[in-house]
């Protein structure tokens, strides 16, 4: 006999950024009886194997770069300063653990019930959870169920030996640095992780299928950042045809591990570590949303509309990213806030506007972007209706650097403007401080700023950011 299902107003499957945002808003703001089901570490990808440990590692690498820069400012800094990466990893892990605990404290404080286990749909309104403590299963039901399980990085299934490589998840397990490391992929994960490893002395080889990486970004970003990586010594293997086999020559960690990569063209390459950065797969297999009639793409992704609704009434889905925090809060506002004193009827159509979402790549140097690329803007509005403002320069920070090093560290900005009003429909920046800059300028672009609005802002001197409001 199946156990009796415990009833809730709202069940959230997945305790990452999106799921947490939705659960806390529903329970903490509106008093909805909310259950959160999580089968991993609290906080999801972002906290455990994504944004947080990545940024800490980027900070670590940036300090390495700053020590080299300090010599040009007349600091007597030896060129062979050692560091303890294993100790840094311990501190990073402890920081992540603190965040795991903080997530759970926040859920508890805001009245969200937490169950550790793996959920499976048993119908449109019912879930069975295999409890993580091994005590068996439990059943739960609710009129509103949110799928926020996120995904996991993909390894190629058609390359023998691909299992000898790691993904971004495994990257954060590295305690002993490899001497030579290969990265397969041209997206932001490969770019960020190759950038940090190069900055701390690892010989990095990037294998990309085309002539530039970050191919969803503006051509300015693609071309300048790819060249910058090459100029500082990262080996970018362009137009690569891929690998047909990976052979483990020696097992181990750090310098002890040895792999041989065999390309389709017969080329062989030996390295200590290989990282696959070729995409992500939905973490959906055991959930079996089809049991609830939920439609999915062939890739496994759940199909939703602009309000995060699936085709099954009362079941919703969103991602596991910081963007999903906003989407999750908007969903809970719509479901539980319309009749609550803290909300109101205006929330009945609450949803996240996915237009003009600012994005940052923690490359070396940083990249920030919002809105349309130049080609996309031309395709949408016509070339005759687009005006580009562009500048490229060396930041003041590099004034004391030799000319060759200064050339290796460009700062470059572009504004994509549309129509006679010159509404800013795209902004793309690269260089020191771009991540912090983009958060502020992103507000202006989201509000519909025009070029003359930027021009009217008094420039803060001396900063790189002043160039954004003085472009001609």
């Amino acid at each position: 006999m199946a156990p009796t299902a415990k009833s809730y107003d709202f069940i959230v499957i997945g305790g990452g950024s999106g799921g947490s945002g939705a659960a806390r808003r529903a329970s903490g703001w509106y008093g909805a009886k909310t259950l959160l089901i999580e089968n991993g570490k609290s906080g999801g990808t972002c906290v455990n194997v994504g944004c947080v440990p990545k940024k800490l590692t980027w900070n670590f690498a940036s300090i390495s770069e700053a020590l080299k820069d300090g010599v040009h400012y007349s600091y007597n800094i030896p060129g062979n300063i050692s560091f303890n990466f294993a100790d840094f990893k311990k501190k990073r892990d402890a920081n992540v653990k603190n965040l795991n605990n903080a997530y759970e404290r926040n859920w508890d404080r805001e009245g969200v019930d937490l169950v550790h286990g793996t959920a499976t749909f048993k119908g449109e309104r019912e879930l069975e959870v295999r409890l993580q403590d091994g005590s068996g299963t439990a059943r739960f039901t609710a009129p509103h169920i949110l799928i926020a399980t996120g995904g996991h990085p993909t390894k190629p299934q058609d390359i023998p030996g691909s299992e000898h490589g790691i993904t971004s998840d495994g990257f954060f397990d590295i305690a002993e640095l490899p001497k030579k490391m290969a990265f397969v992929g041209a997206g932001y994960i490969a770019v960020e992780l190759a950038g940090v490893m190069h900055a701390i002395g690892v010989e990095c080889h990037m294998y990309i299928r085309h002539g530039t990486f970050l191919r969803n970004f503006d051509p300015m970003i693609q071309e300048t950042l790819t060249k910058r990586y090459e100029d500082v010594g990262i080996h970018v293997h362009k137009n690569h045809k891929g690998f047909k086999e990976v052979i483990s020559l020696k097992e181990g960690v750090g310098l002890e591990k040895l792999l041989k990569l065999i390309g389709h063209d017969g080329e062989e390459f030996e390295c200590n570590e290989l990282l696959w950065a070729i995409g992500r797969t939905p973490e959906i297999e055991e959930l079996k949303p089809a049991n609830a009639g939920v439609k999915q793409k062939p890739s496994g992704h759940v199909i939703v509309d602009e309000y995060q609704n699936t085709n099954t009434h009362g079941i919703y889905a969103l991602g596991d990213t910081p963007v999903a925090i906003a989407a999750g809060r908007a969903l809970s506002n719509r479901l539980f806030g319309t009749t609550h004193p803290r909300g109101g009827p205006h929330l009945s159509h609450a949803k996240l506007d996915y237009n003009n979402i600012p994005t940052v790549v923690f490359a070396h140097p940083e990249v920030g972007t919002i809105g349309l690329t130049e080609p996309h803007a031309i395709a949408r509005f016509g070339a005759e209706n687009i005006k580009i403002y562009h500048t490229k320069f060396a930041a003041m920070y590099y004034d004391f650097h030799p000319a060759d090093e200064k050339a290796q560290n460009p700062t470059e900005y572009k504004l994509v403007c549309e129509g006679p009003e010159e509404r800013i429909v795209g902004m793309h920046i690269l260089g020191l401080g771009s991540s912090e800059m983009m958060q502020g300028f992103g507000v202006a672009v989201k509000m519909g700023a025009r070029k003359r609005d930027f021009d009217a802002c008094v420039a803060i001197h001396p900063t790189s950011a002043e160039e954004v409001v003085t472009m001609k």
Side-chain angles (χ1 to χ4, degrees):
M1 183 176 176
T4 302
K6 185 175 181 180
S7 296
Y8 283 86
D9 299 321
F10 191 34
I11 297 176
V12 177
I13 310 163
S17 301
S20 179
R24 291 182 63 185
R25 179 61 56 93
S27 180
W29 280 41
Y30 303 126
K33 185 179 179 183
T34 302
L35 171 67
L36 192 149
I37 303 168
E38 173 57 57
N39 68 354
K41 296 179 179 179
S42 298
T45 296
C46 181
V47 166
N48 294 286
V49 286
C51 320
V52 171
K54 180 269 300 291
K55 181 65 182 292
L56 291 172
T57 311
W58 184 87
N59 290 342
F60 181 85
S62 296
I63 290 171
S64 178
E65 292 179 322
L67 289 170
K68 297 181 179 69
D69 294 333
V71 173
H72 303 306
Y73 277 82
S74 301
Y75 279 82
N76 295 318
I77 301 174
N80 60 343
I81 291 180
S82 63
F83 57 80
N84 188 330
F85 191 78
D87 186 62
F88 160 72
K89 179 185 180 300
K90 289 179 182 178
K91 293 178 178 178
R92 187 183 64 198
D93 291 348
N95 181 272
V96 168
K97 178 63 176 175
N98 287 338
L99 290 175
N100 297 149
N101 295 334
Y103 264 69
E104 295 188 8
R105 286 196 301 272
N106 287 335
W107 295 334
D108 182 66
R109 185 178 66 249
E110 298 192 2
V112 177
D113 288 349
L114 173 64
V115 168
H116 290 284
T118 301
T120 301
F121 275 102
K122 292 299 180 182
E124 290 187 3
R125 299 288 176 269
E126 190 166 333
L127 293 161
E128 182 177 85
V129 179
R130 187 176 74 253
L131 300 172
Q132 209 164 50
D133 62 8
S135 61
T137 62
R139 291 209 175 200
F140 304 95
T141 184
H144 302 288
I145 299 175
L146 172 62
I147 300 171
T149 50
H152 57 265
T154 304
K155 288 184 180 181
Q157 301 299 307
D158 58 348
I159 300 177
S162 63
E163 70 275 7
H164 299 304
I166 62 173
T167 64
S168 54
D169 286 2
F171 177 85
F172 297 107
D173 291 329
I174 294 175
E176 295 183 32
L177 292 176
K179 180 180 180 181
K180 186 185 297 186
M181 187 166 179
F183 299 80
V184 179
Y188 75 93
I189 291 175
V191 170
E192 289 180 334
L193 300 185
V196 299
M197 294 303 262
H198 169 78
I200 57 178
V202 176
E203 180 183 325
C204 293
H205 291 253
M206 296 183 68
Y207 292 87
I208 63 177
R209 291 184 295 174
H210 300 281
T212 57
F213 43 62
L214 296 180
R215 289 180 57 79
N216 289 329
F217 287 69
D218 190 84
M220 181 196 82
I221 300 296
Q222 296 181 42
E223 294 160 10
T224 298
L225 195 62
T226 302
K227 185 177 185 301
R228 196 272 175 181
Y229 269 41
E230 291 180 298
D231 287 347
V232 299
I234 294 176
H235 304 269
V236 182
H237 302 262
K238 300 176 180 178
N239 302 307
H240 193 258
K241 302 305 180 185
F243 295 106
K244 65 180 181 181
E245 187 177 6
V246 178
I247 299 173
S248 174
L249 300 178
K250 186 179 179 183
E251 295 184 358
V253 296
L255 299 178
E256 293 181 355
K257 183 176 180 179
L258 188 61
L259 301 175
K260 179 189 286 187
L261 315 183
I262 303 176
H264 284 291
D265 58 2
E267 175 192 6
E268 296 184 357
F269 176 74
E270 292 186 5
C271 59
N272 305 109
E273 191 57 272
L274 161 66
L275 187 141
W276 301 106
I278 58 174
R280 297 179 66 81
T281 300
E283 192 71 52
I284 207 84
E285 296 88 349
E286 293 191 72
L287 184 59
K288 301 187 187 308
N291 291 349
V294 174
K295 292 182 179 179
Q296 299 168 255
K297 296 180 180 179
S299 62
H301 292 86
V302 175
I303 299 171
V304 296
D305 64 12
E306 60 185 332
Y307 291 94
Q308 314 300 150
N309 298 312
T310 70
N311 63 293
T312 300
H313 181 72
I315 299 181
Y316 320 91
L318 47 77
D320 176 25
T321 66
V323 173
I325 297 175
R329 289 171 177 166
L331 175 65
S332 289
N333 286 341
R334 179 166 62 86
L335 296 180
F336 304 107
T338 57
T339 60
H340 193 279
R342 198 167 185 174
H346 65 286
L347 294 177
S348 61
H349 296 288
K351 63 177 181 178
L352 176 63
D353 178 6
Y354 284 91
N355 293 311
N356 288 330
I357 292 179
T359 300
V360 165
V361 181
F362 286 102
H364 291 261
E366 305 151 69
V367 167
T369 183
I370 185 172
L372 301 176
T373 66
E374 181 179 344
H376 288 156
I378 290 172
R380 179 176 297 186
F381 299 110
E384 70 278 8
N385 296 312
I386 295 298
K387 185 170 182 180
I388 303 298
Y389 293 87
H390 170 260
T391 184
K392 186 175 183 178
F393 58 96
M396 188 178 185
Y397 180 84
Y398 297 106
D399 277 2
F400 299 152
H401 287 58
D404 59 334
E405 291 189 35
K406 186 180 292 188
Q408 290 174 359
N409 292 281
T411 298
E412 192 168 12
Y413 302 151
K414 177 191 280 191
L415 296 179
V416 181
C417 301
E418 177 268 328
E421 289 287 301
E422 293 194 343
R423 179 172 60 97
I424 299 170
V425 296
M427 178 177 175
H428 312 281
I429 60 177
L430 178 152
L432 289 177
S434 290
S435 59
E436 301 293 344
M437 283 173 55
M438 182 48 66
Q439 184 67 81
F441 279 109
V443 175
V445 175
K446 185 73 174 177
M447 292 176 67
R450 300 156 298 181
K451 176 64 167 63
R452 66 174 180 266
D453 297 319
F454 275 31
D455 294 341
C457 183
V458 175
I460 302 172
H461 183 75
T463 64
S464 292
E466 69 180 296
E467 298 291 330
V468 177
V469 299
T470 58
M471 276 193 269
K472 302 297 183 186

